[in-house]
């Protein structure tokens, strides 16, 4: 780490939670049935992608904070839109609480995320955000294919 | 700006250029015709999305470095896959050169990007990356719809 740092710990959390607020809006736009059943070209349903995001955020941070390297489990028992949104909302304060427990000086330490991805913690966290933007954009495409207008990309307010 | 900074100027550039290397691989995966014609649900072709990315990266950085607030122009005259890839490769060193001209102390200054988006420069730059991940993921979905295996998400080497 050098002294030309440009993004603070607080700013990265705000950035991530802003993206999560947008992802929540994308979940809300899906009709219940299509959320769990619609897909393009052998891809997963958007519900399955959301379960992946849920199984990465809090468990991944818990691993970083508490030095755990357990594998992830994307197969969450969340079978309704309401259950997905509730799980999303329950994750929100947990993410903030866990994130705030990571000392600034640890962000450049390696962590073996889920026992598989051994990278500096700031890269683990950027991966969480990138992976969410990536799958959410697939959700945007599903919505467009269903002729549903997705939320504006820049709507990030909680 | 406070002293709890966790991502350095160099690290954000490496992160962005790594994403750009992956986006280049996605362009390469498209057959020539489908790159310019295939779309889902009234969305644009992936070629049009790539033109948007090209019209944001170097012109956006030029605006930041040289204090310009001209509007963007996504309507680039790039009509073949080869022309798109060449424009992509020409942008790569220009991005690095322009980015390196932004002094660290400016990253928290506001810049009115393209005369429309007045935010701190580090947020302008995170937007460039997020927007690229977002549209590239739409390209992934197009490839899946075309029964073409996209590149691995974590392949970021130049």
């Amino acid at each position: 780490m050098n002294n030309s740092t440009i993004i603070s710990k607080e700013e990265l959390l705000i950035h991530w939670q802003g993206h999560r607020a947008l992802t929540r809006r994308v979940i809300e736009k899906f009709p219940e049935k299509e959320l769990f059943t619609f897909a393009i070209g052998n891809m997963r349903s958007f519900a399955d992608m959301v379960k992946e995001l849920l199984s990465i955020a809090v468990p991944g941070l818990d691993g970083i904070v508490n030095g755990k390297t357990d594998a992830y489990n994307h197969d969450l028992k969340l079978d309704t839109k309401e259950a997905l949104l509730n799980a999303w909302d329950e994750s929100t304060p947990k993410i903030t609480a866990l994130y705030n427990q990571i000392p600034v000086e640890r962000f450049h330490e390696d962590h073996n995320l889920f026992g598989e991805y051994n990278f500096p913690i700031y890269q683990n966290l950027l991966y969480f955000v990138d992976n969410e933007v990536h799958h959410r954009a697939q959700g945007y495409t599903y919505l467009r294919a269903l002729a549903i207008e997705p939320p504006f990309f820049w709507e990030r307010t909680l």
Side-chain angles (χ1 to χ4, degrees), chain A:
Chain A
M1 188 162 167
N2 58 53
N3 62 4
S4 68
T5 42
I6 53 166
I7 299 179
S8 77
K9 179 178 164 182
E10 293 75 10
E11 287 161 351
L12 183 61
L13 178 63
I14 290 166
H15 182 67
W16 185 14
Q17 291 283 24
H19 272 300
R20 291 187 70 259
L22 176 58
T23 304
R24 192 188 194 287
R25 288 192 178 93
V26 175
I27 301 169
E28 282 186 306
K29 288 277 182 183
F30 272 83
E32 176 93 30
K33 177 166 173 281
E34 282 74 11
L35 181 57
F36 289 89
T37 58
F38 184 80
I40 291 174
N42 285 325
M43 292 168 66
R44 292 171 290 171
S45 69
F46 191 57
D48 279 347
M49 296 181 197
V50 172
K51 289 182 205 174
E52 176 185 309
L53 301 177
L54 287 167
S55 70
I56 286 176
V58 171
L61 284 170
D62 181 43
I64 290 168
V65 169
N66 297 306
K68 298 179 194 169
T69 55
D70 306 69
Y72 52 77
N73 169 28
H74 297 341
D75 187 24
L76 307 182
K77 299 291 170 221
L78 298 166
D79 300 329
T80 65
K81 183 170 166 175
E82 190 187 5
L84 276 180
L85 288 170
N86 286 343
W88 198 262
D89 292 339
E90 285 165 14
S91 291
T92 303
K94 288 182 188 168
I95 286 169
T96 295
L98 284 165
Y99 182 93
N100 286 337
Q101 290 181 55
I102 310 171
V104 172
E105 54 274 20
R106 281 200 62 211
F107 278 78
H108 285 77
E109 284 178 14
D110 284 344
H111 169 68
N112 192 17
L113 187 69
F114 300 121
E116 278 194 68
Y117 310 101
N118 198 28
F119 293 106
I121 287 171
Y122 85 91
Q123 289 186 19
N124 294 161
L125 296 165
L126 287 174
Y127 177 81
F128 294 173
V129 178
D130 291 342
N131 186 56
E132 178 162 342
V133 175
H134 177 76
H135 287 308
R136 186 182 61 213
Q138 296 173 331
Y140 267 71
T141 313
Y142 287 8
L143 287 174
R144 290 286 186 194
L146 293 164
I148 297 167
E149 180 86 13
F152 291 119
F153 187 62
W154 54 88
E155 279 190 8
R156 309 278 173 82
T157 47
L158 302 179

